[in-house]
Amino acid sequence: MLFEIENLQKIYGNDSVKTPALQGVSFNISSGEFVSIMGPSGSGKSTLMHIMCFLDKPTDGQCKFEEKSIDDFSDDELARIRNKKMGFVFQSYNLLSRTNVFDNVKLPLVYSGFSKEKENEMVEQALKSVGISHRAFHFPNQLSGGEQQKTAIARAIVNHPSVIFADEPTGNLDSKSGQQIMDIFQKLNDQGHTIILVTHERYTAEMAKRIISLKDGKIISDELVNSRHYAKDGLIK
Amino acid sequence: MKLSNSFQTALIGLKTNKTRSFLTILGIVIGISSVILMMSLGDGAQGLILNQIMSMGPNNVYVEPGSFELEGADMTQQMMEGMEIKTLTLEDMEAIKKDPLVELVAPMVLSVSRVIYQNNDKKVTIFGTSPAYHEITESRTILGSNFTDFDIQSRAKVAVLGYKINNDLFQDENPIGKTIRIKDVNFKIIGVMEELGTQMFLNVDEYVYVPVTTVQRFLLGTSHIQSSAIKIVSQDKIDEAMESIRLILRERHNIYNPEGDLSKDDFKVVSGKESADMMNMVTSILTMLLSSVAAIALIVGGIGIMNIMLVSVVERTREIGLRKAVGARKKDILYQFLIEAIVLTGLGGILGIILGIIFSYLAAIVLSIALGTQWLFVVSLKSIILAFGVAAGIGIAFGIYPARKASELSPIDALRYE
């Protein structure tokens, strides 16, 4: 099991004012899955993702990644796990603005300790698999939103992580670009990457294989997608 | 993260903000270049002092009236009374001359007077001494000849002109045999000295040399001398000779001083080296003071760097969050910002050193012209190492706080930061 999540609770705030974000969430994710975490804003989906990628600690409950929880690691080891085993795609791309596409994609490798040749090879491969090789030496402000997000995906997969977290990856994109991005995710999943997609759009969520719906910090449904949409078929929306 | 990567990241960070980076390091540049300039000026001054004192010859000692270790009020009083102190006489000098360690003795009396030749009129220093003085300083006449021991004994009214005085009073005329008036006394000119420049910071080319006895009798009306230059037979005998001179003078002045307490003496014996050391100490202190002022500029520059680094951390909050999310450790972020600060100050340091050297060189040229003497252009390795060390130290000291702040940002908050 890749993720084992049991009775996860997260409460923000101090002693006097407590804001619960997660109130007892339990589920498992195995390797190779494509899971959408859905819910309206404030439902706790971002908090859940942050806990799953070891950026945040739960107040109570367990979140195990490859049999181990956040408490089993030091800060440096956590950084290493995020570096080697997890990839991140954000809604607002989060590219370094004065750095070209190639170096943006290389960013995680800077902390990995590969040789220069190996680094370059891995970057080229990642650029190729998202189809943005022709833009390698452009700067983010010379790219469209879709191209920027493709760059971000290349950055997420450059280190061959076992799981990719995508937080509203199509939220800032027009539908055509969004469709291209989702197509990339579906292909990556076909290649064996586990993908965890956070979204509030049902249609996008239905491109995954499984949807976990959250509301007010609780799971209201956890089901497989019956009629999965395929981005390559075009947009029906 | 490899160190070379850290450097690269830092350099890219700085390159993207060229103007800001430059303005930031300006404080450091100014600070470092002033430290270098001050230290260079200090070294130059010391070189000049050494040069001036040694121009009188390395194995000379000087006898002066007054006690050695007078302090505060006594010292001031003595300086105010200056000329009035009457302890040393020509007879004392005769006694010293008999010491086998002493080679030459040149008594000295100075008097400032107007010198008149026809309608030329000039205020000059009349320097009463003996022929030994020109032997000690190894200076020669270019015209005529110097006065002799016979002139001393006979209180002859003869004068030898300094090089510049001769030019001022006589221009192209041959002065030998001419008569000048000093304080209503006629003096016959018998010689002109070669050009000597400055000795002990005094422009001896503007002196008029007259037999010491003549000055005592006709110009000052005293039987004392103001000081005396004494040449010792060899340099390694200087300490021995100084002690011997003290004993002679104590005996002659009836000073009972078996323990050799210098403050009990009514004279002092100093060596050229000692006075050089003392002057060096004074310039060292001055250099230190000036450098400290320059160092304040460095600290201000350092604070400027800290300020900009703090701004930079805030500006790049999202970048820091992203880096942490993709696997940067606290250490990596800390190094990135620290190295950026060090590279900034390092660049400032290099620029400052270059500018400091240029300023020092210009200062040496200006001072050489202004003082009419050779001012040494020295930039010691010590000052460069010190300046650079201080710059790097400032980079670390003022870079660590912003860097820590950056490294401790929570990645989630940082990613959310707009």
Side-chain angles (χ1 to χ4, degrees):
Chain A
M1 209 52 75
L2 199 62
F3 285 98
E4 288 170 74
I5 287 157
E6 214 184 293
N7 194 28
L8 207 58
Q9 299 200 22
K10 179 71 186 180
I11 298 164
Y12 288 115
N14 49 31
D15 289 337
S16 52
V17 188
K18 289 194 166 73
T19 318
L22 292 174
Q23 313 186 51
V25 171
S26 305
F27 61 91
N28 292 335
I29 295 175
S30 44
S31 192
E33 279 199 73
F34 190 162
V35 183
S36 286
I37 296 173
M38 244 195 84
S41 60
S43 59
K45 52 190 192 311
S46 290
T47 305
L48 177 59
M49 194 190 87
H50 288 146
I51 291 172
M52 287 174 75
C53 63
F54 290 160
L55 282 173
D56 207 353
K57 275 187 178 185
T59 314
D60 200 9
Q62 281 280 349
C63 170
K64 286 187 172 174
F65 172 69
E66 293 182 337
E67 322 278 286
K68 289 198 167 146
S69 79
I70 189 166
D71 295 320
D72 297 334
F73 300 105
S74 68
D75 278 358
D76 285 0
E77 284 167 333
L78 290 175
R80 193 169 167 76
I81 288 170
R82 279 198 297 274
N83 183 248
K84 296 274 185 192
K85 302 198 166 171
M86 298 174 178
F88 298 90
V89 179
F90 306 93
Q91 179 175 1
S92 49
Y93 331 128
N94 276 338
L95 301 175
L96 301 183
S97 56
R98 281 153 171 149
T99 308
N100 66 27
V101 166
F102 194 92
D103 288 333
N104 259 298
V105 172
K106 199 158 85 177
L107 190 67
L109 300 181
V110 166
Y111 304 105
S112 302
F114 292 112
S115 70
K116 257 208 154 51
E117 296 73 39
K118 178 80 178 157
E119 279 181 2
N120 290 346
E121 190 192 312
M122 289 167 86
V123 172
E124 273 157 28
Q125 202 189 336
L127 288 173
K128 209 170 139 192
S129 62
V130 298
I132 195 132
S133 302
H134 60 293
R135 293 291 209 186
F137 298 102
H138 286 70
F139 288 85
N141 58 3
Q142 300 169 313
L143 303 180
S144 71
E147 287 170 323
Q148 290 190 50
Q149 195 58 297
K150 282 180 189 172
T151 307
I153 295 173
R155 182 180 64 198
I157 62 172
V158 70
N159 222 346
H160 307 299
S162 42
V163 56
I164 298 166
F165 292 94
D167 189 359
E168 306 269 12
T170 59
N172 281 5
L173 298 175
D174 60 283
S175 50
K176 188 162 175 286
S177 305
Q179 176 202 342
Q180 285 175 3
I181 295 302
M182 288 315 296
D183 183 39
I184 293 172
F185 279 124
Q186 287 183 328
K187 279 184 182 140
L188 288 171
N189 181 238
D190 292 343
Q191 288 159 18
H193 288 100
T194 308
I195 293 169
I196 294 163
L197 173 76
V198 172
T199 182
H200 64 273
E201 298 167 346
R202 174 144 291 273
Y203 188 83
T204 309
E206 282 172 351
M207 292 191 183
K209 291 174 180 165
R210 173 183 166 194
I211 299 178
I212 296 171
S213 297
L214 287 178
K215 196 180 178 188
D216 298 332
K218 288 178 185 145
I219 293 180
I220 50 170
S221 74
D222 180 357
E223 53 200 14
L224 296 178
V225 177
N226 290 328
S227 52
R228 193 177 177 208
H229 304 302
Y230 289 94
K232 64 173 188 284
D233 295 341
L235 220 58
I236 313 167
K237 209 166 171 183
Chain B
M1 184 148 128
K2 287 169 274 178
L3 204 63
S4 59
N5 279 331
S6 306
F7 265 106
Q8 228 172 7
T9 315
L11 277 177
I12 291 166
L14 296 177
K15 252 204 306 209
T16 47
N17 272 315
K18 278 197 205 87
T19 319
R20 192 167 82 184
S21 302
F22 174 72
L23 289 176
T24 307
I25 64 173
L26 208 55
I28 297 287
V29 172
I30 292 169
I32 294 276
S33 56
S34 356
V35 168
I36 297 235
L37 177 64
M38 291 310 150
M39 291 183 80
S40 164
L41 288 182
D43 287 348
Q46 282 190 355
L48 183 72
I49 288 164
L50 214 65
N51 197 336
Q52 289 290 311
I53 286 168
M54 289 309 160
S55 67
M56 299 289 284
N59 41 350
N60 291 349
V61 300
Y62 302 88
V63 179
E64 288 161 26
S67 164
F68 211 95
E69 278 162 9
L70 291 173
E71 281 177 20
D74 288 346
M75 182 79 114
T76 325
Q77 193 184 6
Q78 194 208 337
M79 285 166 81
M80 305 254 296
E81 286 167 0
M83 304 292 188
E84 300 300 317
I85 289 167
K86 293 170 177 165
T87 51
L88 294 175
T89 62
L90 283 176
E91 289 70 40
D92 289 337
M93 296 308 118
E94 288 302 321
I96 289 169
K97 204 190 267 177
K98 293 199 181 90
D99 191 295
L101 293 170
V102 171
E103 193 181 324
L104 293 162
V105 177
M108 301 190 271
V109 193
L110 294 174
S111 161
V112 177
S113 288
R114 278 166 77 191
V115 171
I116 303 164
Y117 172 70
Q118 291 174 350
N119 22 357
N120 275 343
D121 176 332
K122 215 169 150 43
K123 202 170 182 184
V124 297
T125 304
I126 313 298
F127 186 32
T129 186
S130 72
Y133 181 80
H134 293 114
E135 282 184 64
I136 290 173
T137 57
E138 291 173 354
S139 44
R140 275 173 287 275
T141 51
I142 46 166
L143 277 175
S145 58
N146 203 350
F147 45 81
T148 60
D149 286 331
F150 179 75
D151 292 325
I152 305 277
Q153 280 157 27
S154 63
R155 298 197 172 88
K157 292 175 202 159
V158 292
V160 174
L161 298 180
Y163 184 83
K164 191 163 176 293
I165 281 296
N166 175 48
N167 281 353
D168 289 350
L169 288 179
F170 291 94
Q171 284 98 32
D172 298 331
E173 215 178 320
N174 184 353
I176 305 297
K178 301 272 159 47
T179 302
I180 52 171
R181 281 180 79 75
I182 306 170
K183 263 197 182 168
D184 298 330
V185 181
N186 286 332
F187 284 80
K188 195 175 98 182
I189 294 170
I190 55 167
V192 177
M193 295 306 298
E194 63 180 330
E195 191 170 2
L196 293 168
T198 56
Q199 284 175 349
M200 302 289 278
F201 305 102
L202 301 170
N203 192 347
V204 293
D205 290 337
E206 288 183 345
Y207 280 11
V208 172
Y209 301 87
V210 171
V212 57
T213 48
T214 315
V215 177
Q216 282 181 322
R217 165 73 62 87
F218 297 106
L219 300 181
L220 288 174
T222 173
S223 57
H224 296 92
I225 59 166
Q226 283 158 7
S227 64
S228 176
I230 299 165
K231 187 178 182 187
I232 307 302
V233 285
S234 78
Q235 214 168 342
D236 52 322
K237 289 281 196 319
I238 284 183
D239 290 336
E240 208 181 316
M242 282 167 74
E243 203 43 48
S244 169
I245 292 167
R246 285 191 188 108
L247 291 176
I248 293 168
L249 288 175
R250 277 176 202 146
E251 200 190 308
R252 288 187 54 83
H253 293 186
N254 294 321
I255 296 166
Y256 178 70
N257 189 3
E259 62 279 6
D261 180 359
L262 296 179
S263 60
K264 282 190 181 169
D265 295 340
D266 62 353
F267 58 86
K268 51 189 170 188
V269 182
V270 291
S271 69
K273 194 182 163 297
E274 265 177 353
S275 27
D277 288 348
M278 219 155 82
M279 294 293 266
N280 275 344
M281 209 178 77
V282 173
T283 47
S284 296
I285 292 169
L286 263 177
T287 309
M288 261 168 62
L289 276 175
L290 291 172
S291 304
S292 336
V293 174
I296 292 172
L298 264 182
I299 292 171
V300 174
I303 293 169
I305 288 205
M306 178 155 76
N307 190 15
I308 288 298
M309 291 308 295
L310 281 172
V311 171
S312 172
V313 167
V314 173
E315 234 177 32
R316 285 149 73 185
T317 302
R318 280 178 82 87
E319 176 189 329
I320 295 162
L322 173 73
R323 284 178 184 274
K324 284 192 147 187
V326 301
R329 293 162 300 174
K330 266 187 184 174
K331 248 198 323 228
D332 296 321
I333 303 291
L334 183 80
Y335 287 164
Q336 182 190 338
F337 282 87
L338 196 53
I339 286 172
E340 208 165 291
I342 292 172
V343 167
L344 263 179
T345 46
L347 282 176
I350 290 169
L351 257 174
I353 287 169
I354 294 170
L355 274 181
I357 291 174
I358 294 172
F359 288 154
S360 306
Y361 183 68
L362 293 178
I365 293 175
V366 170
L367 283 168
S368 291
I369 295 167
L371 295 176
T373 168
Q374 184 63 41
W375 182 276
L376 281 175
F377 163 63
V378 241
V379 175
S380 62
L381 191 64
K382 188 183 76 185
S383 69
I384 290 177
I385 291 172
L386 184 81
F388 206 75
V390 168
I394 281 176
I396 294 170
F398 291 97
I400 195 108
Y401 172 64
R404 272 203 104 79
K405 232 178 140 172
S407 74
E408 270 155 19
L409 276 177
S410 142
I412 305 171
D413 295 340
L415 278 170
R416 260 195 225 124
Y417 184 86
E418 294 298 335

